[in-house]
Amino acid sequence: MMIEGAHLQTPFMSDLVTMADPTSPLSYLSYAKQTNRLYPFYIRENFFLQRKEYNQYCQWVCQQLPYVKFGYQVTKVYFSSADACYHVHAFDKKQQKHEFYKCKHLVLGTGTQPKVPSFCSLSSPRVMHSSDYLRFKDQLQEHRDITLVGSGQSAAEIFYDLLTDIGAKDYKLRWLTRSSRFFPLEYTKLTLEMTSSDYIDYFFHLPEEKRQQRIKQQDQLYKGINSDLINAIYDKLYEKKLDGDLPIQMMTQVLLKNVQEYSQQLSLTCTQQEMEEDFEVDTDFLILATGYDYQFPEFLEPLKTSLCFHEQGSLKLNRNYSIDVNDTVFVQNLGLQTHGLTAPDLGMVCYRNSTILKSILGYAPYKIEEHMIFQQFSP
């Protein structure tokens, strides 16, 4: 979300190229130099880029890559035995025409879709996912009672943004989370060593049951809220309270169980998990900062029999990020079950790409560091 003032949770070196090739002309520092921002960035002394600035950097890079095409929808992919390659069918939305490509390898970065509880419907004009927040912010602020549900960074950013306007817009604001507390993203240096190839090797070779246990214990390492934002929220609450009582409510340990819509209102059925006590909340508008889920792309259906899956149906990654037995189909942004907390980490993007390129080319065009941390994870 491009909320004003929001920034990345990883340093500027996790740009598109630096961790693979620090000399690349497409690095953030190169962008800052070319756009006359390098000296101000140096004086700012803050490694964490504004999200707006990172977006501008990505646009700058894309403008220099003629082989990157936007506005295309891939409709079908299948393997042709006749010419021993993949056939990719795509539709150019701008030109309204179909195009066809052949390739020996596929690398997928199709992203995730908004995750919504089964008892909620986004067709309701009173319910929305956080991904739509900025598009409909003005409309939702016309309501007198707003409820936000969620535990992570997106929920915190939305709460802070709405809290900033609470006096001028005159609404009641409520934040409910099932987490035991508003927990910060853990960002200590020895913990950060877990975002490394060393930890991937360790995690990948654990028994599957152990991997699942570890994932459940690691939410704070990749799902938490930036500690600066938590402090900023508290400071904003303190500041607003100087003008009188604040119409806000914040509750942890709350599980949302059901949503009922009446003529002009929503009724939320909730449970305080620690007390095991049910209660009702009446509100005018519900924002679901409930995260995202991966969805298997429809265009891959013809390849499904040649891909690897876990017993529960999710894609199973090999160590080199391939998902087929022949190492010809790769994914860029999956692998929590096999590669652990490094899977969604922006700082590991260049490592993942370098590993995939090595598998495709048979050699490493970019040096892949190994044993680059101080601690050991196995004897």
Side-chain angles (χ1 to χ4, degrees), residues 56-68:
Q56 292 170 346
Y57 155 69
C58 288
Q59 291 183 32
W60 174 81
V61 172
C62 290
Q63 289 166 4
Q64 301 177 66
L65 305 178
Y67 40 82
V68 173

Side-chain angles (χ1 to χ4, degrees), residues 140-160:
L140 79 89
Q141 285 187 314
E142 294 174 0
H143 295 280
R144 300 278 62 83
D145 189 296
I146 301 171
T147 299
L148 169 68
V149 172
S151 308
Q153 182 74 8
S154 293
E157 288 176 359
I158 290 173
F159 184 79
Y160 183 81

Side-chain angles (χ1 to χ4, degrees), residues 7 156 159-160 163-164 225-240:
H7 58 79
F159 184 79
Y160 183 81
L163 181 61
T164 301
I225 304 167
N226 183 277
S227 57
D228 289 342
L229 179 56
I230 293 176
N231 292 336
I233 288 172
Y234 188 89
D235 290 344
K236 184 65 70 174
L237 290 167
Y238 185 90
E239 171 193 324
K240 294 286 186 181

Side-chain angles (χ1 to χ4, degrees), residues 94 233 269 343 370:
K94 186 176 181 180
I233 288 172
T269 302
E370 297 178 349

Side-chain angles (χ1 to χ4, degrees), residues 99-361:
E99 294 193 3
F100 169 69
Y101 303 89
K102 292 182 179 182
C103 59
K104 294 289 186 181
H105 299 84
L106 293 169
V107 183
L108 308 172
T110 51
T112 51
Q113 299 295 322
K115 182 170 64 176
V116 176
S118 58
F119 50 80
C120 290
S121 174
L122 295 182
S123 62
S124 168
R126 295 181 177 274
V127 180
M128 75 173 181
H129 189 267
S130 58
S131 56
D132 284 325
Y133 171 69
L134 286 178
R135 282 203 298 155
F136 298 109
K137 176 183 172 181
D138 292 341
Q139 293 95 308
L140 79 89
Q141 285 187 314
E142 294 174 0
H143 295 280
R144 300 278 62 83
D145 189 296
I146 301 171
T147 299
L148 169 68
V149 172
S151 308
Q153 182 74 8
S154 293
E157 288 176 359
I158 290 173
F159 184 79
Y160 183 81
D161 196 48
L162 291 174
L163 181 61
T164 301
D165 295 337
I166 197 168
K169 299 293 185 179
D170 190 28
Y171 45 71
K172 182 177 181 179
L173 181 59
R174 184 182 299 104
W175 185 7
L176 307 177
T177 170
R178 65 180 177 182
S179 298
S180 58
R181 60 193 177 99
F182 297 103
F183 64 86
L185 186 71
E186 188 174 340
Y187 214 73
T188 53
K189 294 175 183 178
L190 288 176
T191 297
L192 283 177
E193 285 199 333
M194 294 172 69
T195 54
S196 64
S197 60
D198 300 71
Y199 186 74
I200 296 174
D201 289 334
Y202 166 72
F203 186 88
F204 186 84
H205 291 101
L206 287 175
E208 185 168 354
E209 183 180 346
K210 291 286 187 183
R211 293 202 303 265
Q212 301 314 310
Q213 291 174 3
R214 295 298 294 146
I215 290 170
K216 292 177 182 178
Q217 297 166 357
Q218 292 177 345
D219 277 7
Q220 284 181 248
L221 306 185
Y222 65 97
K223 283 187 176 181
I225 304 167
N226 183 277
S227 57
D228 289 342
L229 179 56
I230 293 176
N231 292 336
I233 288 172
Y234 188 89
D235 290 344
K236 184 65 70 174
L237 290 167
Y238 185 90
E239 171 193 324
K240 294 286 186 181
K241 187 69 180 290
L242 295 176
D243 296 323
D245 288 339
L246 264 177
I248 66 113
Q249 184 180 22
M250 302 168 67
M251 290 184 66
T252 60
Q253 295 276 11
V254 174
L255 175 66
L256 178 64
K257 296 172 66 176
N258 198 27
V259 177
Q260 293 287 332
E261 184 170 1
Y262 300 102
S263 56
Q264 298 295 322
Q265 212 167 37
L266 298 172
S267 178
L268 314 182
T269 302
C270 305
T271 297
Q272 209 287 355
Q273 297 175 104
E274 208 162 43
M275 299 171 66
E276 299 183 355
E277 182 177 326
D278 291 343
F279 63 98
E280 302 288 327
V281 171
D282 292 329
T283 190
D284 298 330
F285 203 95
L286 175 63
I287 307 170
L288 297 167
T290 45
Y292 297 80
D293 265 342
Y294 179 79
Q295 291 186 2
F296 186 79
E298 289 185 14
F299 62 76
L300 281 184
E301 285 293 334
L303 300 180
K304 208 164 186 178
T305 55
S306 63
L307 303 181
C308 305
F309 293 88
H310 291 281
E311 289 183 3
Q312 68 272 31
S314 59
L315 282 167
K316 184 177 181 180
L317 276 65
N318 297 313
R319 176 61 182 84
N320 65 350
Y321 301 98
S322 69
I323 54 173
D324 68 323
V325 294
N326 297 317
D327 285 349
T328 57
V329 183
F330 300 83
V331 290
Q332 224 290 346
N333 55 351
L334 285 178
L336 193 63
Q337 292 172 296
T338 51
H339 293 64
L341 60 96
T342 63
D345 189 88
L346 186 65
M348 294 294 289
V349 168
C350 288
Y351 169 79
R352 293 195 290 269
N353 278 334
S354 298
T355 303
I356 292 170
L357 282 171
K358 181 181 178 181
S359 295
I360 291 174
L361 299 173

